[in-house]
Amino acid sequence: MCTVCGCGQGETKIEGESHEHTHVHEDGTVYSHSHGHEEEHHHPHDHDEAHAHPHESQEHLHVHDDGTVHSHGHVHEGGHHHGHEGLDIHFGHGPAHAHAPGMSQARMVQIEQDILSKNDAYAGENRRLFQEHGIFAVNLVSSPGSGKTTLLVRTISALKGRHPVAVVEGDQQTSNDADRIRATGAAAIQVNTGKGCHLDAHMVGHAVERLKPADNSLLMIENVGNLVCPAAFDLGEAHKVAILSTTEGEDKPLKYPDMFAAADVMLLNKVDLLPHLQFNVPLCIEYARRVNPNLRVILISALSGEGMDEWLGWLEDNLKAAAARREETVAQLRQRVAALEAEVARLKG
Amino acid sequence: MHEMSLAEGVLQVIEDYARKEGYRRVKTVTLEIGRLSGAEPEAMRFCFDAVVRGTLADGAALEIVETGGSGWCLACGKTVPLEARYDPCPDCGGYQVQATGGMEMRVKELEVE
Ligand SMILES: Nc1nc2c(ncn2[C@@H]2O[C@H](COP(=O)(O)OP(=O)(O)OP(=O)(O)O)[C@@H](O)[C@H]2O)c(=O)[nH]1
Ligand SMILES: [Mg+2]
Ligand SMILES: [Zn+2]
Ligand SMILES: [Zn+2]
Ligand SMILES: [Zn+2]
Ligand SMILES: [Zn+2]
Ligand SMILES: [Zn+2]
Ligand SMILES: [Zn+2]
Ligand SMILES: [Zn+2]
Ligand SMILES: [Zn+2]
């Protein structure tokens, strides 16, 4: 459990998946979630592999080829893939991995690997999928209650009939927000992170494979309300959009700079309340640009609709660009296929 | 920042390499943490010990190499040293500084057996 912000792992639930289930990906990640067997995972993993480090259950002694003796416990089904060639001497239950003194052989292994490389690899897969399908994906990040879901509902209504919209909802508990989105007629899927305080790219990959957003659609990902760690987790989105509401105080960008540095757009929401508050808008924008000089700021009210045109304009420009990039890729592929076919025809002569 | 998830990331990297490199136990983990990465070395140690309990890195020593921060100041037109991510330029006091070094969070090397 996270002592900094209270997150933990292993309790993720993706709505609509049929049974609880642990699977081991090809790369060895053990992922516990529920899902139906009909669907395809778009990232490769193996449902059969049973033996993942660290070993569990039976304790026993290993004598390696080089004479090293050590004891540990492990499951015997699934075979070893860590190269124990020696004999197994079972001796009941002892401490796991208690090495015989003086017989171990330490060595150094150079790694040079980014700590978040796993998440980043999943994010890369998501991003590739979005690009292939012309999907424009935004990751909405904010404190709890800044107005993310209200804004999503209003955005979906405004785009109705013009652009298909799909939503991934991240919350620790409840499917309330996904229910609010579905009431608009848009497709939504709830991811409950349990103790986890952010969405990661692996969860989003699984959610998207259930959601199956249409080509050239808008995918909005509402992250868990938290101004801290969602900043560090790439989900494969095109842009992070930070939402700050006027009731939170203008110094939030200085208090939680990573989030405002990671975002490309800041929506300053609940501006309808400004007459009742002591909130200095220019100072807030100055603070935000101090941590991110290129930040685009839009003043908005999800309640009154003020500022919605600018926000919708930004979304539509990006939707067009994503669709155009996909067209271009498809046209290039067609050209290549045509060239190959011509070549085949020429060879057949 | 978010050291618990980072510690879990470290464990994932260690477990990945265990299969590739064929080690069964990790005695020392060396991390490189940039001063501008947002990760706190002390919080990192605390979370690491909790996360690796019961794994192949249980009880492993954690060594953290901290690397200094630097940034490009637009006004001065040069690279300047930075103590923290959102600090002003130490020369001109301006905030138009783009962080360029010291953001890394990396597993550097392991002592294994
Ligand atoms: N006055 C005003 N209230 C708003 C506005 N936007 C949202 N609210 C209110 O703020 C409260 C929280 O809104 P939500 O949309 O649930 O916020 P959220 O960010 O999705 O919340 P979590 O998902 O729980 O983090 C609700 O009572 C909304 O009616 C706004 O622009 N103006
Ligand atoms: Mg919400
Ligand atoms: Zn956390
Ligand atoms: Zn299954
Ligand atoms: Zn699965
Ligand atoms: Zn062994
Ligand atoms: Zn064995
Ligand atoms: Zn988190
Ligand atoms: Zn998976
Ligand atoms: Zn300067």
Side-chain angles (χ1 to χ4, degrees):
Chain A
M1 234 271 285
C2 181
T3 50
V4 181
C5 56
C7 75
Q9 280 200 343
E11 296 175 41
T12 308
K13 284 199 179 62
I14 297 176
E15 195 185 33
E17 298 202 321
S18 62
H19 66 274
E20 283 292 323
H21 179 86
T22 299
H23 67 246
V24 183
H25 287 228
E26 228 164 43
D27 59 7
T29 314
V30 182
Y31 182 63
S32 149
H33 71 160
S34 52
H35 67 100
H37 275 154
E38 335 75 51
E39 47 170 321
E40 281 265 293
H41 290 275
H42 66 263
H43 51 255
H45 64 257
D46 183 356
H47 270 195
D48 305 318
E49 197 177 343
H51 190 95
H53 256 115
H55 304 313
E56 266 150 356
S57 86
Q58 289 153 289
E59 309 292 337
H60 53 235
L61 253 187
H62 283 285
V63 183
H64 288 240
D65 288 338
D66 59 5
T68 315
V69 182
H70 73 223
S71 72
H72 69 177
H74 67 112
V75 187
H76 265 166
E77 317 84 79
H80 294 246
H81 50 226
H82 58 287
H84 287 158
E85 305 305 337
L87 26 149
D88 283 355
I89 306 163
H90 291 259
F91 71 102
H93 295 272
H97 274 158
H99 287 84
M103 298 179 101
S104 62
Q105 290 186 324
R107 64 189 162 98
M108 304 305 289
V109 180
Q110 300 300 314
I111 302 267
E112 300 293 346
Q113 179 97 57
D114 278 357
I115 291 175
L116 292 174
S117 53
K118 202 106 195 183
N119 182 74
D120 292 345
Y122 284 120
E125 284 177 33
N126 294 346
R127 185 164 285 120
R128 209 159 31 245
L129 181 106
F130 298 153
Q131 277 167 1
E132 260 170 43
H133 293 272
I135 296 165
F136 177 56
V138 292
N139 178 1
L140 296 161
V141 291
S142 80
S143 327
S146 67
K148 297 180 292 297
T149 310
T150 311
L151 184 80
L152 285 180
V153 167
R154 193 161 190 132
T155 303
I156 292 163
S157 312
L159 293 176
K160 200 162 239 169
R162 289 195 281 164
H163 297 281
V165 182
V167 176
V168 176
E169 278 291 345
D171 285 294
Q172 291 197 324
Q173 301 292 343
T174 84
S175 63
N176 292 352
D177 282 0
D179 295 340
R180 282 164 71 190
I181 300 295
R182 281 189 286 258
T184 69
I189 195 150
Q190 183 79 47
V191 178
N192 286 136
T193 56
K195 292 197 188 75
C197 51
H198 60 272
L199 291 175
D200 66 37
H202 187 204
M203 298 170 187
V204 169
H206 277 280
V208 165
E209 107 205 333
R210 292 198 62 81
L211 202 51
K212 297 186 177 66
D215 287 354
N216 303 338
S217 64
L218 172 62
L219 176 68
M220 294 197 278
I221 304 165
E222 178 177 336
N223 217 314
V224 179
N226 173 1
L227 275 179
V228 187
C229 47
F233 287 81
D234 183 7
L235 305 180
E237 72 275 354
H239 299 285
K240 283 192 178 72
V241 173
I243 302 178
L244 176 64
S245 57
T246 53
T247 49
E248 296 173 60
E250 56 271 275
D251 57 354
K252 278 288 177 303
L254 293 185
K255 288 180 174 163
Y256 300 95
D258 289 321
M259 190 58 86
F260 294 88
D264 297 308
V265 176
M266 177 174 98
L267 301 178
L268 184 56
N269 191 33
K270 307 194 187 178
V271 292
D272 58 290
L273 296 177
L274 281 173
H276 313 284
L277 303 168
Q278 305 260 314
F279 185 94
N280 187 332
V281 173
L283 188 63
C284 177
I285 295 174
E286 189 198 314
Y287 288 157
R289 295 240 166 92
R290 191 182 290 179
V291 299
N292 182 352
N294 303 316
L295 190 67
R296 169 147 184 189
V297 179
I298 300 176
L299 305 191
I300 204 165
S301 167
L303 204 69
S304 74
E306 186 182 338
M308 280 299 289
D309 287 346
E310 192 182 347
W311 163 239
L312 293 170
W314 182 82
L315 286 175
E316 294 207 87
D317 289 348
N318 279 288
L319 278 161
K320 273 192 212 114
R325 267 196 301 279
R326 173 166 173 265
E327 285 284 304
E328 214 172 280
T329 317
V330 170
Q332 277 168 6
L333 283 175
R334 284 220 182 90
Q335 265 177 17
R336 227 175 328 155
V337 169
L340 283 172
E341 278 172 349
E343 179 69 8
V344 169
R346 191 183 62 79
L347 288 173
K348 278 186 183 159
Chain B
M1 237 263 245
H2 188 212
E3 286 75 8
M4 202 61 176
S5 291
L6 297 181
E8 271 153 7
V10 172
L11 180 60
Q12 284 179 340
V13 171
I14 292 174
E15 288 180 337
D16 278 0
Y17 275 77
R19 267 171 292 105
K20 280 180 225 155
E21 297 276 344
Y23 54 80
R24 298 165 297 278
R25 191 154 152 65
V26 178
K27 297 176 73 179
T28 311
V29 178
T30 306
L31 303 182
E32 186 179 350
I33 303 282
R35 189 142 297 151
L36 309 188
S37 69
E40 284 293 330
E42 275 322 300
M44 195 73 206
R45 278 179 205 289
F46 188 89
C47 292
F48 178 80
D49 290 345
V51 161
V52 299
R53 210 157 288 151
T55 74
L56 76 171
D58 197 340
L62 185 66
E63 285 179 9
I64 298 180
V65 181
E66 282 189 76
T67 53
S70 57
W72 176 259
C73 176
L74 275 178
C76 298
K78 64 173 184 187
T79 297
V80 293
L82 284 183
E83 273 300 311
R85 179 76 182 264
Y86 307 101
D87 272 3
C89 169
D91 284 3
C92 71
Y95 283 97
Q96 298 274 52
V97 186
Q98 206 76 48
T100 51
M103 276 101 71
E104 44 286 291
M105 297 192 284
R106 201 174 290 140
V107 183
K108 263 186 90 62
E109 63 172 13
L110 306 175
E111 184 189 12
V112 301
E113 57 182 31

